[in-house]
Amino acid sequence: MAKAEALRGELKVQGSKNAVLPMMAAALLTCEDVVLHNCPDISDVSKMITVLKALGGKVKREKDTVIIRVDRINDIAVNESFAGDFRASILFLGALIGRTGHVRISYPGGCKIGKRPIDIHLSALEALGVKICDDDNMVSAKGHITGTEVVLRYPSVGATENIILASVCADNIVRIIGAARDPEVSSLCELLNSMGADIEGIGGHVLTIRGVRRLHGTEFQVPGDRIVAGTYALAAIATGGSIRITGLKGCDLAGQYTALSQTGAKMLFKGNTWYIESIQKPMAVRYLKTGPFPEFPTDLQSPILAAMLKAKGNCFIKETVYPDRFNIVKELKKMGADISVDKNTVLVNGVESINPGNLVATELRGAAGLVIAGLEAEGESFISGIQYLKRGYEDICRDLNCLGARVSIMDKR
Ligand code: EPU
């Protein structure tokens, strides 16, 4: 990839990865068609399709529409060859409990960004009456939801989604206290309500789910991806550009909007469009702490770190969600960045220029951060490990090039 001039222009953002994955698991809860529009073409979606088919579902993809029909369940096991590869596989735990009251599932894999246990998922389902047994690296869960209230010790996104999936067809009312408030949890609830579920308190810390007898099919628009949008906004800020990103909901940007405006960029959100007009050299965001929504998203920590490399001043970032998520620092230092890490904090001192480099990506959002760093460098940079990008970015080259960058994927020779 080559250094970009300031990014300019307009881009429609892809559908959200973290919204569509639980929606695809939710399709297991009905025998009828679930039609998802604006579905991103990313590898995590393909993996979800593979598992749905293995469980007995029929899945069709027509451009950005995915149609899922699971009129029969053939299997209740999600083994390691499927689950070991991606974190969202854990959502089949709640969905299969909801549909059949029985599941055997391997521990989920996913990006290497620190420890990612599933204890909150398991203890919550257990508290709600599901029998959990852990053997041979597989979790076996049996029974339907009978409990009425669960308190989460941390607002885990995946655990909240699993409880919802397991509870929407329960015989009783379930209250989740301390639920994650992320927009992706809200869109899952909206999808389920459009299928006949009865979920109240959407967007809040307390969700009330009144179990219904059955769910029907639906047609639903996957919302725009707030993390992809934030990545491109940061690429514009890092290069002193001016862009518009369409296809978003303003409220989804909580946490990132204020932080990004501290770079001196002028920002406006109108209709479904985010306008970002940055200044030539961004000001450093002095202090940033990642946290559960509506705090600054951990998934934008690497991209903002990269966007701060040439900023005016010092930027201090504290990572509270995945304390070890600083894999890209070593790569950024190769480029002449002035960064120091201390436990779960990082301090970036803005420098005058960044050198191009041969960089190695080891996970999705870190890879996106390296792309931003490459855009800031004085010359061509090469990044390996770009398969990680495909997990969440439909086509980062297409998107950045449409904003004036020069980024391409080279054939492996
Ligand atoms: N946690 C536990 N026990 C659990 C579950 C979570 O200790 O049982 C801890 C995790 O270790 C982590 C924190 O709680 O420290 C947050 O984890 P959470 O469960 O909220 O995350 P997740 O559901 O596994 C989703 C996204 C992630 C995103 C996080 C936080 C999906 C498929 N993934 O993961 O997205 O970082 O929420 O917002 O929705 C990404 O897109 O790059 C990505 C990693």
Side-chain angles (χ1 to χ4, degrees), residues 17-19 21-22 44 87-88 91 111 113 115-122 153-159 161 180 182 184 226-227 291 298-299 320-323 325 363-365:
K17 163 174 94 76
N18 291 344
L21 300 175
D44 273 15
R87 176 77 181 175
L91 297 167
C111 277
I113 51 178
K115 282 193 193 135
R116 301 182 77 183
I118 54 166
D119 57 306
I120 304 177
H121 304 237
L122 300 183
R153 69 164 169 84
Y154 182 92
S156 155
V157 174
E161 291 167 344
D182 298 57
E184 294 76 18
R226 64 188 170 110
I227 303 299
T298 173
D299 294 341
T320 76
V321 184
Y322 301 112
R325 198 178 209 180
E363 47 94 13
L364 166 62
R365 306 301 173 188

Side-chain angles (χ1 to χ4, degrees), residues 169-182:
C169 291
D171 285 334
N172 50 305
I173 300 178
V174 175
R175 272 192 347 139
I176 310 176
I177 297 168
R181 298 173 56 200
D182 298 57

Side-chain angles (χ1 to χ4, degrees), residues 214-285:
R214 61 180 290 278
L215 296 182
H216 51 74
T218 192
E219 201 166 331
F220 202 83
Q221 186 79 13
V222 177
D225 194 308
R226 64 188 170 110
I227 303 299
V228 172
T231 305
Y232 297 154
L234 283 161
I237 287 169
T239 59
S242 179
I243 64 169
R244 300 178 298 284
I245 308 174
T246 67
L248 287 163
K249 281 197 254 171
C251 53
D252 291 359
L253 301 180
Q256 53 173 304
Y257 194 90
T258 320
L260 269 57
S261 61
Q262 286 167 25
T263 62
K266 280 198 203 121
M267 301 207 298
L268 175 73
F269 196 91
K270 212 169 146 194
N272 69 354
T273 304
W274 187 9
Y275 298 80
I276 302 119
E277 194 185 319
S278 52
I279 52 177
Q280 220 172 12
K281 191 175 170 67
M283 289 189 288
V285 177

Side-chain angles (χ1 to χ4, degrees), residues 90 180 374:
I90 194 60

